[in-house]
Each structure stands twice: as C-alpha cells, then as structure tokens.
Amino acid sequence: MGLVIQKFGGTSVGSAERILHVAERVIEEKNRGNDVVVVVSAMGKTTDSLVTLANEINPKPSKREMDVLLSTGEQITISLLAMALQAKGIDAISYTGWQAGIETEDVHGNARILNIQTEKVQERIQQGKVVIVAGFQGVTEAGDITTLGRGGSDTTAVAIAAALKADKCDIYTDVTGVFTTDPRFVKNARKLLAISYDEMLELANLGAGVLHPRAVEYAKNYQVPLVVRSSMEQEEGTIIEEEVSMEQNLVVRGVAFEDNITSVTVFGLKNPLTSLSTIFTTLASHHINVDIIIQSLTNDQLTNLSFSIKDSDLEETLKVLEENKAELGYDKVNSEQGLAKVSIVGSGMISNPGVAADMFKVLSAEEIVIKMVSTSEIKVSTVIEKENMVKAVETLHDAFELSKITVNA
Amino acid sequence: MGLVIQKFGGTSVGSAERILHVAERVIEEKNRGNDVVVVVSAMGKTTDSLVTLANEINPKPSKREMDVLLSTGEQITISLLAMALQAKGIDAISYTGWQAGIETEDVHGNARILNIQTEKVQERIQQGKVVIVAGFQGVTEAGDITTLGRGGSDTTAVAIAAALKADKCDIYTDVTGVFTTDPRFVKNARKLLAISYDEMLELANLGAGVLHPRAVEYAKNYQVPLVVRSSMEQEEGTIIEEEVSMEQNLVVRGVAFEDNITSVTVFGLKNPLTSLSTIFTTLASHHINVDIIIQSLTNDQLTNLSFSIKDSDLEETLKVLEENKAELGYDKVNSEQGLAKVSIVGSGMISNPGVAADMFKVLSAEEIVIKMVSTSEIKVSTVIEKENMVKAVETLHDAFELSKITVNA
C-alpha cells in the first residue's frame, strides 16, 4: 500500500476514448492497493488551437492573459478524467492548479513552483478518492494564474510526488521507456531498465525529448524515483533514480544525437580577455543558443574561437558578428553547415578513464572526421559531418555494447 | 464620470472578429469618461461542445465536474477580450469567477451568488484598468468552482453592478431592446424605451427570452438600472427600472405568446383537499412544469381540475396520472394539444380595472375561443387554439395601442 503519482501527457488524453483508456490505467494502479494522484496535460492539440485564437486577436498577447487562456486546457482534461473514473465506479475529484495549492513565482509563461499546499489533496486521498490535478499550472500569492512552461506537466507531477512523499512517480508517454539511442534511427536500440538522474539530464539536454530537464532536475533534488512508461502498452518502463546498478557493466548508457548543427570559427581575436565574453553576451541577447565552445591559442598570440549553433541561427549570428567587428577585433569568420552532434552518456565514465579515447578510436576506424569535441564528467560530445551521423551512432552503440542489452525495446 | 457594467453574451463574443468588435464597444464607453467592468459569456457554441464531450465520457457526469469543465468557456473569453483591449492600447485585466471574489452557495449547476468580495476589482478600477469578469461562474467557501445555471452571465453582471454600486448595467444582446411583442411574428412590434422590473419579470417568464428572470429579480432587489441593447447596432436600447413613466399612456406594455401548449383536465376528483397537492407534487417530481391551473366545483360536489403543460410533457403526464389513479381518485382524464398561450403585460393594469375584460372582448370579436384564463396584478394570460395565436397577438397589439409607439424597432 503506497502512494503513486501518475502523469499522462497530451497524446494520452487526446480524445474521449483515450481519456476512458487512461481511467483504466488509473484503476489498475488503484487495484494494486495504492492511493493514486493523477496529473494530466491539455488534450492533444488544445493548446495549439488556443494559441492560434489568441494570435488572431493580438499578435503579441500579454503573458498573464495567455496563462489564463492556456490553463483552461488542463482544466478541461481534469474534469473529463474525473467523469471517466466516476463512470467506472471510482470516486474521483479534480483540482486545478490553484485548487491543488500549487504556488508559483509571479512569472507568467515560465513560472517555477515555490510551494505546494497539500492539505486538501491529502484529505481527499485519505477519503479514498483518486485526486486529479491539472498539470502545467499554478497560482501566485496574489491569486494570478501562472503556467510552468515546456514540460510543465512533468514538473507538476514530480513536485506533487515530492510534496506528498510519494513512493513513485510514473510518467506515461507515447514511448515505452528511455532508450540507449533513438529507435527510429537505430534498429539495435534497447530500452534501459534504469538510468541515473544525471545521465537522464545529459540525455534530456541532448534532445532525447522524453522528459523535460527541469522535471528531471526537480526529481533529482527531491530524490523522487521516476518511471517513464507507455500509456498504451503494458510493458515495464525505465526507472530514473540516483544510484543505478551497473547492470551488464555498462560504462555508456546512451548515445544521443542531433543534426542541423553549424560550426562557426572566429579567427585572430585580438583581445581574448574581453572579446570572449562580449561575443557570447551579444549572441545571447539575440536569442542565439551556443552549444560547444572551443578556444585555441595560435602561434602568433592571436586567439581562434569556434562554437556550434543551430543551422537556423547562422544568418543572424554572422550578422551580429559583422555588426560588432570593430568592438570584438578579429580577422575573419568561417562557418560550416550541415554538421551533426553525436554524444555518449554514462556515469560509468567517471571511474573509467579512456572512454573518450575509445570513442575517438571507434569513429576514426570508420574514417569519420571529428570537427569539435566537448566533454563533461559523464558525457563526451563530438561534432561530425551530418552524413556520418547515423553510422557513427550505430557503430558507437555496438562498440559500447548497448546492443547487447537483453531487455527488448 | 461613472461606473458602467457591460455584459456581452455568447453570440457577441462568438469569434476572434466579434471579440475585437466587443473591445470597440468597451472603448466607446471608456471614452465617455466612465470606468468599465465587462462581464462575458462563453464563446458561441463552446458550452455545447464541452457538454457533448462530457457525454461521450459519462452520460451522467457529476455536477461538480461539469462546473469545472463548463467554467473554462468564460475563462477563454475573458483572456481573449483582455488581449483584444490590450491590442487596442487599453489597460485591461481578466478575472475568473473565483478571482473576482464571486462567492456562491455550495450547489453545482445552479448556484446562487451569496456575496462578492470586490476589493481586488475595485483596486484595478482605481488603477484605471478595464476589468473583465467571467460570467456564469463562482466559487464556494471550500474553493470549489460553481456555475449559476441558465442566464448566469446576466446574473453575474447584475450582481457585480449591485456590489460595486454601478451607475448602470448594460446587457448587450442580439436584439436592440425589449419589444412590445416578438418582431419576428408581428410586423407592428415596437421597441420600448422603458419597462419596469415587474413587467419585465412577467415578460421574461412568459418566454420573451431577452433576459433571465433571475437576473431581473436580482436587479429589482438591488435597484440596479438595466439596459438591454444591441452589441451590433448603435441605437439606444430599453431601460428596465423600478418606476417607468407612463409614456403615451400605455396600460399594456407588451404582448407575449408561446405555442406548443397542451391542456389537461382531470374529471371527478373525489378528494380535492389532498389530491390537488398530490397531483402537482407527483408531476413536479417527474420534472413536468405545470403553468396555468384552474379548479372548478361541479354540481355533484366532485371537482374538475385543468392545467396547462408543454406538448412534449403530455405522454409522461398521462402516464403519471394513470399510475397514480387509485391514490388520486378521479373518473377520467381529457387532454387537448396544439394550443397557445397569449398574455398581455403592463403595470398600468393595477390602476385600470377592466383590462382583462377588454382583452376578452377583443378576442371574442375575432371569434377566438378562450380555453383557459389566468391573471396576476399586471398580467392576463389566455390559452387559445394555436392557429389563432398570431392573429390574437396582432389584434391585441393594435387594440392596446402598442403599434402607435413612435420609437422605431
């Protein structure tokens, strides 16, 4: 007998039929003898159509009013799921963010949860009710409605799990778990039984897309065990927790990748001390996200600087650099489009020096040229030519023995 | 410089374009130097489609969850109208029912407003903002969302006008005011400049449909002057207030009518003392609305009872009477379908005895048979054959000089 938080995303609650199906998943958990709190997102395309409607009226709507508007999406889902459970004879009650006591900062569109007043929800749980809470939303001290931004419903689920000291938090999604790499590209991809918070954070930031990094961070901070699993299929998912046993001696637990990367090199920076910070402050103020940064000293005491950006930001980046050429003081700029980033992630690297070297060796054996490298304690990222991306991922996946995991995808 | 409450219904806010148009009407009022609080309904068919969705999931959804669901409709409108005003450079802020401090009974689907905490709204008005409040909804002391039932947004507008001691409350609708009779049927129908609360209540109950009786009652109790006017056209509407000057010596101010009426007669009730209450209690428990009731004593001390219902309730009514025949103790039941009710309304009747007689004379001159009669201080209703309905209305409208009103429709 425990307390389980279940979170269902927009696809899982996209129609009346899907909501009735979600009710079945809730009842299964209830039948295992557990208390259940369910967190839901807005139905399928609801948010998109509300945004379209708003833009017809005001191309630049105020963020406060957008939050009032968008929060209706989850409010619709909670009431419908409560009705679905009631139709199946289960005592259920819905709560919006403000009703569930989810207090946030006074920031619209991207608020952080400050506190959760759990009395009301706890009282309902004690009465044997299934409590359904609207994800993605909260309320400020002054009583304004806020939303939590991308991945907000995951964050709500984890925050509620932490506040209620739940035994686990199940994130139901349209995939069956976290994979060693993207199964749409690599047929040998395997589902992981377990992964650590830190590894998941690296994978999430690298674009694995299953869970929002903020939710993973929150789970790590409060040590909430997360399970990513399918809302459609019954198979077991992937557990995300602090310490993950080194099943099958995995040093690397995943290979992440993304394409449409451009590298930009600025040659001959005359004043590296100040120009480095000036370049990146300037780019940030133009909302250009810079990923890998490499600085090298050349013979004649001039500095060359390389960094990677998304292909779509190249034009703006070149413009910004050109406009600030005098201030930055450099000779010339080169860029190379059509690149990809391939990364290996695994907390086993910490105690296994030489993993990066192994990676380079594998790529070099395939005659894949490495353009840039970046490393963290549990990650090695390389930038290579896009046409080599899938081959690199497959080769690394095999070389680090991820294809040998026996749990099937 | 005063405070004006404006209420816009579902048709007036049915699309992005219509909402932008409503914003113009708000700005006009603001430009007259008034502070403005706007109350809005859900957009057009939103409520209907939410009800359909709910019924797909649960044919008998809980009323609490229906309120959570339906209240999203007005929440969408308030945010969009705020955005529309902001797009036109007006400082505006939206409030849901709970944010606006609209406290109701703990009844779902048909709650009454108990109190309005106006501090927050007043503070915003003082800051020069246009405040937009979601109609039709409130919150219980325990923090549950409630809705006010049919005509709920009108009631919200009137209640806010009363709480804020507004100078007037403009109800914007798809007609230009209150008419002497329905202009879709009678070409001589005239728009009234003014009508009293009591007259409006009789007209509203008689199916004039412009304003919900509960809102009119509320306005009467708190002496809030109401104006019914068009959201599309600029012409003046009809003011509804306590004392209305007898412009043009009108004794009768309106002719109301509805068809699809059935009369039912129960013959030979053996125990009129108890059976009368038993019949109507039983019918009420089957949700059958009884309108006119007439009881007559026959020669042999047996009582005959006639009453009018809607055609659609006949089958159920006959079934209920048959099932309770033993208990009620009567000889037989007759019914007549295809009738209509035509009523004249006017507070001038109080000081003009003989108005009812005038009405009967007019109808009799047209050879229209009166099947049933019911009177109140300011109303006379007759039940006649449906095929005579429009002729009766036109004749009465002319006879009581309503066609002579000079304000054009």
Side-chain angles (χ1 to χ4, degrees):
Chain A
M1 181 81 182
L3 172 62
V4 176
I5 313 300
Q6 297 185 312
K7 181 260 170 178
F8 295 91
T11 317
S12 305
V13 294
S15 67
E17 194 194 346
R18 302 289 292 116
I19 289 172
L20 286 163
H21 176 80
V22 162
E24 291 297 335
R25 303 306 299 258
V26 176
I27 292 170
E28 281 164 25
E29 194 63 59
K30 193 83 182 150
N31 286 345
R32 281 182 207 114
N34 290 315
D35 288 325
V36 184
V37 174
V38 190
V39 174
V40 288
S41 303
M43 292 172 72
K45 304 286 174 202
T46 308
T47 306
D48 289 347
S49 57
L50 290 173
V51 170
T52 305
L53 194 53
N55 286 331
E56 279 176 45
I57 283 173
N58 188 332
K60 223 183 151 180
S62 91
K63 287 186 174 180
R64 179 191 185 278
E65 299 302 336
M66 275 308 279
D67 283 355
V68 173
L69 181 66
L70 295 184
S71 63
T72 61
E74 293 80 29
Q75 188 169 330
I76 289 172
T77 318
I78 56 169
S79 59
L80 293 176
L81 181 55
M83 292 174 193
L85 284 163
Q86 289 163 355
K88 293 170 189 288
I90 299 291
D91 197 1
I93 188 165
S94 74
Y95 285 127
T96 60
W98 60 270
Q99 289 178 318
I102 299 174
E103 300 174 356
T104 74
E105 315 170 299
D106 191 3
V107 169
H108 289 288
N110 199 24
R112 282 176 179 269
I113 295 174
L114 297 176
N115 186 33
I116 302 186
Q117 303 281 359
T118 57
E119 296 78 5
K120 208 192 261 182
V121 170
Q122 276 179 318
E123 194 185 316
R124 297 308 181 191
I125 294 172
Q126 274 153 26
Q127 291 168 355
K129 289 184 203 290
V130 170
V131 179
I132 302 155
V133 178
F136 181 70
Q137 58 181 253
V139 66
T140 68
E141 204 184 338
D144 281 326
I145 296 171
T146 51
T147 65
L148 311 183
R150 289 209 165 267
S153 291
D154 289 344
T155 308
T156 301
V158 174
I160 286 182
L164 295 175
K165 299 185 180 27
D167 296 285
K168 64 170 178 160
C169 179
D170 284 355
I171 309 286
Y172 286 85
T173 167
D174 51 2
V175 294
T176 56
V178 179
F179 282 73
T180 52
T181 192
D182 190 332
R184 290 170 299 180
F185 291 83
V186 181
K187 69 173 193 311
N188 283 335
R190 294 287 188 270
K191 190 171 72 185
L192 292 162
L193 279 181
I195 187 170
S196 74
Y197 295 123
D198 289 334
E199 290 170 328
M200 191 65 212
L201 274 173
E202 291 288 2
L203 286 172
N205 282 320
L206 291 170
V210 182
L211 266 180
H212 195 268
R214 195 195 274 187
V216 179
E217 260 181 57
Y218 212 108
K220 178 179 160 67
N221 288 345
Y222 292 92
Q223 297 289 306
V224 175
L226 288 180
V227 176
V228 172
R229 60 193 305 173
S230 164
S231 64
M232 294 302 286
E233 290 164 55
Q234 285 289 353
E235 63 181 270
E236 241 172 286
T238 302
I239 187 159
I240 305 163
E241 54 197 341
E242 186 65 40
E243 294 285 342
V244 176
S245 61
M246 287 292 121
E247 28 157 357
Q248 293 157 319
N249 297 315
L250 290 184
V251 174
V252 168
R253 217 178 297 265
V255 183
F257 54 93
E258 70 182 296
D259 56 7
N260 300 322
I261 304 286
T262 289
S263 82
V264 176
T265 305
V266 182
F267 292 95
L269 278 168
K270 286 166 190 67
N271 193 350
L273 257 182
T274 57
S275 57
L276 198 63
S277 81
T278 313
I279 284 181
F280 294 114
T281 309
T282 311
L283 292 174
S285 74
H286 286 77
H287 302 288
I288 296 165
N289 251 320
V290 172
D291 184 13
I292 299 176
I293 299 172
I294 293 163
Q295 186 181 287
S296 59
L297 213 61
T298 57
N299 288 340
D300 51 0
Q301 300 297 318
L302 288 176
T303 299
N304 295 343
L305 176 72
S306 297
F307 53 87
S308 70
I309 54 174
K310 283 190 196 306
D311 282 350
S312 53
D313 283 337
L314 178 60
E315 198 181 334
E316 178 80 2
T317 302
L318 294 178
K319 194 174 138 228
V320 170
L321 289 175
E322 183 60 35
E323 283 170 4
N324 296 278
K325 187 169 184 180
E327 190 188 353
L328 297 171
Y330 62 81
D331 289 339
K332 61 170 184 169
V333 173
N334 262 9
S335 65
E336 184 175 8
Q337 282 186 282
L339 302 177
K341 184 168 71 165
V342 173
S343 310
I344 54 173
V345 173
S347 42
M349 288 182 200
I350 299 173
S351 45
N352 283 277
V355 174
D358 288 347
M359 182 185 191
F360 304 151
K361 205 186 300 171
V362 168
L363 294 177
S364 127
E366 296 289 328
E367 300 188 341
I368 295 169
V369 177
I370 300 170
K371 309 263 179 179
M372 301 173 92
V373 172
S374 158
T375 61
S376 81
E377 281 197 322
I378 62 167
K379 181 196 71 174
V380 184
S381 294
T382 58
V383 172
I384 60 176
E385 277 172 1
K386 186 177 161 180
E387 64 199 55
N388 292 323
M389 181 179 76
V390 174
K391 187 170 72 171
V393 172
E394 283 175 337
T395 312
L396 290 167
H397 195 267
D398 284 347
F400 287 104
E401 307 200 317
L402 292 171
S403 307
K404 289 186 184 163
I405 297 180
T406 46
V407 182
N408 280 319
Chain B
M1 182 79 180
L3 173 62
V4 176
I5 313 299
Q6 297 185 312
K7 182 260 169 178
F8 295 91
T11 316
S12 305
V13 295
S15 66
E17 194 193 347
R18 302 288 293 115
I19 289 172
L20 286 162
H21 177 80
V22 163
E24 291 298 335
R25 302 307 299 256
V26 176
I27 293 170
E28 282 165 24
E29 194 62 59
K30 193 81 185 152
N31 286 345
R32 281 181 208 115
N34 291 314
D35 288 323
V36 185
V37 174
V38 190
V39 175
V40 287
S41 304
M43 292 172 72
K45 303 287 174 200
T46 308
T47 306
D48 289 348
S49 56
L50 290 174
V51 169
T52 305
L53 194 54
N55 286 331
E56 280 176 45
I57 283 173
N58 188 333
K60 224 184 152 181
S62 92
K63 287 185 173 179
R64 179 192 184 277
E65 299 302 335
M66 275 308 278
D67 283 354
V68 174
L69 181 67
L70 296 184
S71 62
T72 61
E74 293 80 30
Q75 189 170 330
I76 289 172
T77 319
I78 55 169
S79 59
L80 294 176
L81 181 55
M83 292 175 195
L85 284 163
Q86 289 162 356
K88 292 170 189 289
I90 300 291
D91 198 2
I93 188 165
S94 74
Y95 286 127
T96 62
W98 60 271
Q99 289 179 319
I102 299 174
E103 301 173 355
T104 75
E105 317 170 298
D106 190 4
V107 169
H108 290 288
N110 200 25
R112 283 175 179 270
I113 295 174
L114 297 177
N115 185 34
I116 303 187
Q117 303 280 359
T118 57
E119 295 79 4
K120 209 193 261 182
V121 171
Q122 276 178 316
E123 193 186 318
R124 298 308 182 193
I125 294 171
Q126 275 153 25
Q127 292 168 357
K129 289 185 204 287
V130 171
V131 179
I132 302 155
V133 177
F136 179 70
Q137 59 182 252
V139 65
T140 67
E141 204 186 335
D144 280 325
I145 296 171
T146 51
T147 65
L148 311 182
R150 286 205 168 271
S153 292
D154 290 343
T155 308
T156 301
V158 174
I160 285 181
L164 295 176
K165 301 185 180 22
D167 296 284
K168 66 170 177 159
C169 179
D170 284 354
I171 308 286
Y172 286 85
T173 166
D174 50 2
V175 295
T176 57
V178 180
F179 282 73
T180 52
T181 192
D182 190 331
R184 288 171 300 181
F185 290 83
V186 181
K187 69 173 192 314
N188 283 336
R190 293 288 188 271
K191 190 172 71 184
L192 291 161
L193 279 182
I195 187 170
S196 73
Y197 295 124
D198 288 336
E199 291 170 327
M200 191 64 214
L201 274 173
E202 291 287 4
L203 287 172
N205 282 320
L206 291 169
V210 182
L211 267 180
H212 195 268
R214 195 194 276 187
V216 180
E217 260 181 56
Y218 212 109
K220 178 178 161 66
N221 288 345
Y222 292 93
Q223 297 288 307
V224 175
L226 289 180
V227 176
V228 173
R229 59 192 307 173
S230 164
S231 63
M232 292 303 286
E233 290 165 54
Q234 284 290 353
E235 63 180 272
E236 242 173 286
T238 302
I239 188 159
I240 305 163
E241 53 195 342
E242 185 66 38
E243 295 286 343
V244 175
S245 61
M246 287 292 120
E247 28 155 359
Q248 293 158 319
N249 296 315
L250 289 183
V251 174
V252 168
R253 217 178 296 266
V255 183
F257 54 93
E258 68 181 296
D259 55 7
N260 300 322
I261 304 286
T262 288
S263 81
V264 176
T265 305
V266 182
F267 292 95
L269 278 169
K270 286 166 191 69
N271 193 350
L273 257 183
T274 57
S275 57
L276 198 64
S277 81
T278 313
I279 283 181
F280 294 114
T281 309
T282 310
L283 291 174
S285 75
H286 285 78
H287 302 287
I288 296 165
N289 251 319
V290 172
D291 185 12
I292 299 177
I293 298 172
I294 292 163
Q295 185 180 286
S296 59
L297 211 63
T298 56
N299 290 338
D300 51 359
Q301 300 298 315
L302 287 178
T303 300
N304 295 343
L305 176 73
S306 296
F307 54 86
S308 70
I309 54 173
K310 284 191 194 304
D311 282 350
S312 53
D313 283 337
L314 178 60
E315 197 180 335
E316 177 81 1
T317 302
L318 294 178
K319 194 174 138 230
V320 170
L321 289 174
E322 183 60 35
E323 283 170 1
N324 296 279
K325 187 168 185 183
E327 190 189 352
L328 298 171
Y330 62 82
D331 288 340
K332 61 169 185 171
V333 174
N334 262 8
S335 64
E336 184 175 8
Q337 281 186 280
L339 302 176
K341 184 168 70 167
V342 173
S343 311
I344 54 173
V345 173
S347 42
M349 289 183 200
I350 300 174
S351 46
N352 282 278
V355 174
D358 289 346
M359 181 184 192
F360 304 152
K361 206 185 299 171
V362 168
L363 293 178
S364 128
E366 295 290 326
E367 300 190 338
I368 295 170
V369 178
I370 299 170
K371 308 262 180 179
M372 300 173 92
V373 172
S374 159
T375 61
S376 81
E377 282 197 322
I378 62 167
K379 182 197 71 176
V380 183
S381 294
T382 58
V383 172
I384 61 176
E385 276 172 2
K386 184 175 161 179
E387 64 200 54
N388 292 324
M389 180 177 78
V390 174
K391 188 171 70 173
V393 173
E394 283 175 337
T395 313
L396 290 166
H397 195 267
D398 284 346
F400 287 103
E401 307 200 316
L402 293 172
S403 307
K404 291 187 184 164
I405 298 182
T406 47
V407 182
N408 282 320

